Amino acid sequence: MTVTENRPDYKWVGTRPIRHDGYDKVVGKARFAADRNSPGQLHGAFLRSPHGHARILSVDTSAAEAMSGVKAVVTGADFPDLPIGHPERDTAVNLMARDVAMYVGHVVAAVAASTRAEAEAAAAAIEVEYELLPVVLSLDESIADGAPLANADNRTAFSGSDDPSNLATVTPLERGDVDAAFEAADVVVEREFDTAWVHQGYIEPHACVVDVGADGKAEVWASSQGHFRVRSQAAAVLGWDTARIKVIPAEIGGGFGGKTTIYLEPVAARLSEKSGRPVKIVMTRDEVLRATGPAPASKSRIRIAATNDGELTAIDGWIGYAVGCTGDMAGFVGAMSVASYKFPNLKMEFVGALTNTPRSAAYRAPSAPQAAFAIESVIDEIAQALDTDPIELRLKNAVVEGDLTSMGGPHPRIGFVECLEAIRDSEHYQSPVPDGAARGIGTGFWFNIGEQSSATVNLNEDGTATVITGSPDIGGSRASMALMAAEELGLDVHRITPVVADTESVGFTDVTEGSRATFATGMAVVNACRDLVGELKARAATIRGVEVDAVAWVDGAAVVDGHDPLPLADITAKAKSTGGPLTVTASLNAGGAGPSFAVHCCDVSVDEETGRVEVLRYTTAQDAGTAIHPSYVEGQMQGGTAQGIGWALNEEYVYADDGTMLNASFLDYRVPVASDLPMIETIIVEVPNPAHPYGVRGVGETGIVPPMGTIANAVSRASGVRLTSLPMSPPKVLAALDDR
């Protein structure tokens, strides 16, 4: 279902063609990084720290180097020591420990050998002498007075201090008179919340193949969300110029933010450089869970004031994120994510704190789900206290264009109210609540980003087109690029071939994150196509012998009064005689990313004997601006919701006291499967973003923000008890029921 504000009628934008890369993926032709095999390649394996925090006193690789099949061994000593404050120091230290191992699973050394078995055996033969250090495993431990340092090299960002600290960031926000608002309030609700570390759960483990030639240049095949970032980060870690590295993007089997950074490529490069052979490294699932970046765990305290007529007058709170072993911006980004309600009086502090756990990474709208879980839970409790419809309470306080964000700037045109109204008017919300169940409402916000993108559009002699971009396709963006190009050029979308090119074949493009690809890279495609149309009109003017101003472009053809339309294919066929190849490149640093809002509604039942929460029905409404390919918008909405349900009910990292992860497999780390979920119903709301030619708002992030609060609110209404700790697993639910 789609709810659309006034927008133009399009021929291609908004349609649902079969995706251009669909056939290759269905029949197994698509090549992922682990599918790559180079002649003479070696296989890499890691030695990882068994300790949560330990000084590395010595590393003896002699036994490993003498073993059968071993061609190269590297340790931290094989990499430059980037200074404190260098933008990629934390990346470098995280992928290969130097003087200190900072979590169980931290890489200490790596081996390249003829077979994977030989490499693993040799890695196990490396002898390391450790001095154990205090292990910091929780947010409370990290911020306690006199706490041991989780990473002695960390400095608090933006603080101006050069003193070591466990604080990554501290972001205070304040406006209005919070104390006076609480003093005058009719209703005040205050709660504390916590959430666990959770992983993105992508199907494809991290993998790469790196071949460093005799000329010192490296070819890298990698699955990532941004091969230009792979290039820049790998170059920094290795101490190389970026010109020495060419990154070829493989297909990506899921990322969700977890593949926006690197873990393998510089290590494989150094092993290749030492051995003179290509090196392939593929993580196991155990390694992925133990040693790549989950979303931060969190704790929060939220207090909200309201009047008897339902005005939310003030919010006061603290939200802390446990970000792992190196600096991270989770706290700062969390501050940017509290933007759904007017709150004339606001006083909050957002903190990121280090722990001896894997360095956290982005996970779909990073930091926003934890904040929304807490705030939406308190708002729902206010609605219950006031005996008010939870949607009407939110409508009364929802931000609209011009209202301030948490950071103090005004919202542009947004669709939050329209999403609330779409759920309110939906068949789901209007239907009776099933017997023995309860219904919950929750909302979410993500600001979206623009950043740098490039696109080249080539017209071929037969009138077909190739659209070349540098944005890896992690959500159907190839189809979106082709649809926008088809709309601009007047071509059938199937006569357009979208290509994701390597770092030497397309202009610089930032990583696919923050729901930016269809917005920013799509804008580059549109700009290139519009320049091409101008050139096509000029060529048509030459062919017809008229001035350019006399030529119009209509449905893929040049139109001149008194002449038959001149189709694009006729113009490209004569390109050689009218000026040469028809190709245009456009690059930009996109501004104006339209914020996205979502509102979710779910029905749940709670089994009071087992504590199991069953999701019976789920509906999501989200503002997409304009849905370029509605099927993929719906897929993003459903995928984010499914992951949020897992976050709410099942998923968590479980650590032993020494920092060992106890559930590092998909048998024990429980992601939702199809049998756990109902059909997730979608309502696409279209409030076009005025800063994009087709009104695009990114959609990939926002869908994961509301589910935890939505489900918690339904569970509260079903059970009569407010659960404040995620996941709401059966043991926690049973304990809460017993405490009623």
Side-chain angles (χ1 to χ4, degrees):
M1 177 180 176
T2 303
V3 178
T4 301
E5 191 178 79
N6 293 332
R7 68 166 174 83
D9 290 328
Y10 299 118
K11 182 175 181 179
W12 291 108
V13 166
T15 63
R16 302 172 185 255
I18 294 172
R19 61 190 298 167
H20 294 68
D21 55 329
Y23 175 80
D24 285 354
K25 288 181 175 174
V26 168
V27 303
K29 288 180 64 178
R31 292 292 178 260
F32 298 82
D35 295 323
R36 173 76 188 185
N37 290 297
S38 295
Q41 78 181 13
L42 305 174
H43 295 266
F46 294 116
L47 175 68
R48 297 180 180 275
S49 169
H51 304 297
H53 197 196
R55 193 175 313 283
I56 300 170
L57 301 179
S58 65
V59 181
D60 185 352
T61 63
S62 57
E65 290 167 341
M67 292 177 69
S68 174
V70 173
K71 306 299 181 183
V73 179
V74 298
T75 69
D78 291 287
F79 297 87
D81 186 19
L82 302 180
I84 293 174
H86 188 286
E88 297 299 348
R89 176 182 170 84
D90 286 345
T91 301
V93 168
N94 186 59
L95 65 84
M96 179 70 76
R98 308 307 161 89
D99 298 327
V100 177
M102 291 183 287
Y103 59 93
V104 174
H106 200 170
V107 173
V108 176
V111 175
S114 299
T115 68
R116 183 163 182 160
E118 289 173 329
E120 290 173 346
I126 296 171
E127 296 182 2
V128 183
E129 183 181 0
Y130 295 99
E131 176 191 338
L132 299 187
L133 299 171
V135 179
V136 178
L137 285 181
S138 72
L139 188 66
D140 286 340
E141 292 172 10
S142 179
I143 63 177
D145 290 341
L149 293 171
N151 177 350
D153 292 337
N154 180 69
R155 306 292 186 268
T156 305
F158 316 126
S159 68
S161 172
D162 196 41
D163 294 333
S165 171
N166 279 342
L167 296 179
T169 57
V170 178
T171 307
L173 300 175
E174 187 169 1
R175 66 169 178 251
D177 190 335
V178 168
D179 292 340
F182 276 100
E183 183 70 25
D186 298 311
V187 176
V188 174
V189 174
E190 181 173 2
R191 290 279 187 184
E192 293 185 0
F193 302 86
D194 66 83
T195 70
W197 285 282
V198 295
H199 199 269
Q200 300 86 353
Y202 33 80
I203 295 173
E204 178 205 25
H206 296 262
C208 73
V209 179
V210 180
D211 186 3
V212 180
D215 60 356
K217 293 186 177 180
E219 285 194 334
V220 178
W221 292 265
S223 293
S224 79
Q225 291 179 232
H227 42 297
F228 284 91
R229 178 174 287 181
V230 171
R231 183 183 69 173
S232 62
Q233 289 188 323
V237 171
L238 292 163
W240 292 0
D241 293 333
T242 55
R244 288 183 63 180
I245 302 174
K246 174 183 179 180
V247 184
I248 303 159
E251 294 294 342
I252 180 170
F256 314 111
K259 291 180 182 172
T260 57
T261 190
I262 59 172
Y263 300 97
L264 308 175
E265 292 81 2
V267 178
R270 196 65 90 200
L271 288 168
S272 177
E273 186 181 37
K274 275 194 167 187
S275 65
R277 304 262 290 274
V279 174
K280 179 176 184 174
I281 304 178
V282 181
M283 280 191 177
T284 64
R285 181 62 57 188
D286 180 273
E287 288 179 302
V288 170
L289 287 168
R290 291 187 192 278
T292 65
S298 75
K299 296 195 74 170
S300 55
R301 176 193 57 79
I302 298 295
R303 183 170 62 129
I304 295 178
T307 62
N308 281 331
D309 64 356
E311 181 187 355
L312 303 177
T313 56
I315 182 171
D316 171 64
W318 181 91
I319 300 180
Y321 298 86
V323 302
C325 65
T326 67
D328 184 277
M329 298 300 289
F332 180 78
V333 176
M336 298 173 66
S337 303
V338 181
S340 297
Y341 302 102
K342 297 180 188 294
F343 288 128
N345 304 287
L346 179 150
K347 184 178 182 180
M348 297 191 72
E349 184 177 70
F350 299 80
V351 170
L354 273 64
T355 49
N356 291 121
T357 56
R359 182 189 192 194
S360 64
Y363 182 10
R364 262 190 143 136
S367 301
Q370 298 95 320
F373 163 57
I375 293 170
E376 289 296 310
S377 295
V378 172
I379 288 176
D380 199 69
E381 199 162 350
I382 290 172
Q384 290 177 288
L386 295 174
D387 195 22
T388 298
D389 180 274
I391 291 184
E392 294 305 321
L393 178 68
R394 288 167 170 84
L395 276 169
K396 184 179 183 69
N397 296 279
V399 288
V400 296
E401 183 177 3
D403 285 336
L404 296 182
T405 69
S406 58
M407 303 296 282
H411 275 292
R413 180 71 179 98
I414 51 177
F416 185 29
V417 167
E418 288 82 354
C419 289
L420 286 162
E421 292 172 340
I423 289 292
R424 180 197 63 191
D425 299 338
S426 68
E427 188 276 330
H428 182 178
Y429 197 69
Q430 295 296 322
S431 68
V433 178
D435 290 342
R439 182 165 292 161
I441 295 295
T443 78
F445 159 83
W446 181 249
F447 44 83
N448 291 329
I449 62 173
E451 297 191 329
Q452 301 170 96
S453 284
S454 300
T456 297
V457 181
N458 297 328
L459 295 180
N460 305 313
E461 60 270 25
D462 62 354
T464 58
T466 305
V467 175
I468 304 168
T469 70
S471 289
D473 185 351
I474 64 171
S477 59
R478 282 188 182 96
S480 296
M481 302 305 156
L483 283 165
M484 286 183 277
E487 196 71 47
E488 291 293 327
L489 297 174
L491 278 178
D492 186 297
V493 72
H494 297 294
R495 290 178 63 78
I496 297 173
T497 301
V499 174
V500 181
D502 63 64
T503 54
E504 292 181 356
S505 302
V506 70
F508 182 88
T509 299
D510 275 311
V511 67
T512 299
E513 65 179 358
S515 295
R516 63 168 297 275
T518 300
F519 170 74
T521 305
M523 196 183 301
V525 169
V526 170
N527 290 350
C529 287
R530 289 181 175 177
D531 288 347
L532 260 182
V533 167
E535 183 62 23
L536 286 164
K537 290 163 66 175
R539 301 294 182 92
T542 298
I543 294 169
R544 294 297 191 212
V546 298
E547 296 295 323
V548 173
D549 292 345
V551 182
W553 192 258
V554 181
D555 292 332
V559 177
V560 179
D561 288 344
H563 295 270
D564 291 336
L566 191 62
L568 183 148
D570 289 359
I571 302 172
T572 57
K574 299 178 180 179
K576 185 174 183 178
S577 61
T578 59
L582 285 154
T583 181
V584 169
T585 293
S587 297
L588 50 79
N589 190 0
S596 175
F597 288 81
V599 179
H600 290 196
C601 173
C602 78
D603 299 343
V604 308
S605 64
V606 178
D607 188 320
E608 297 209 357
E609 292 186 353
T610 66
R612 178 175 181 265
V613 176
E614 182 179 3
V615 181
L616 305 173
R617 186 174 183 183
Y618 206 108
T619 301
T620 165
Q622 184 171 326
D623 179 13
T626 297
I628 301 298
H629 194 306
S631 294
Y632 301 129
V633 171
E634 291 164 354
Q636 292 283 355
M637 294 166 68
Q638 291 166 328
T641 298
Q643 290 177 310
I645 291 172
W647 200 333
L649 298 180
N650 303 109
E651 297 183 40
E652 61 178 325
Y653 274 36
V654 179
Y655 284 112
D657 290 342
D658 66 352
T660 301
M661 186 181 180
L662 300 178
N663 60 332
S665 77
F666 278 158
L667 289 175
D668 300 310
Y669 181 89
R670 179 76 162 79
V671 299
V673 296
S675 58
D676 295 319
L677 302 169
M679 177 62 188
I680 296 167
E681 303 165 52
T682 60
I683 304 171
I684 300 174
V685 176
E686 294 188 315
V687 178
N689 172 16
H692 189 275
Y694 289 104
V696 167
R697 300 178 192 274
V699 298
E701 315 288 322
T702 313
I704 202 172
V705 182
M708 289 80 81
T710 302
I711 295 170
N713 293 338
V715 169
S716 169
R717 292 170 183 261
S719 65
V721 61
R722 173 64 60 178
L723 273 82
T724 59
S725 178
L726 298 186
M728 293 175 285
S729 56
K732 286 184 181 177
V733 174
L734 278 178
L737 293 174
D738 290 343
D739 290 342
R740 281 183 300 186

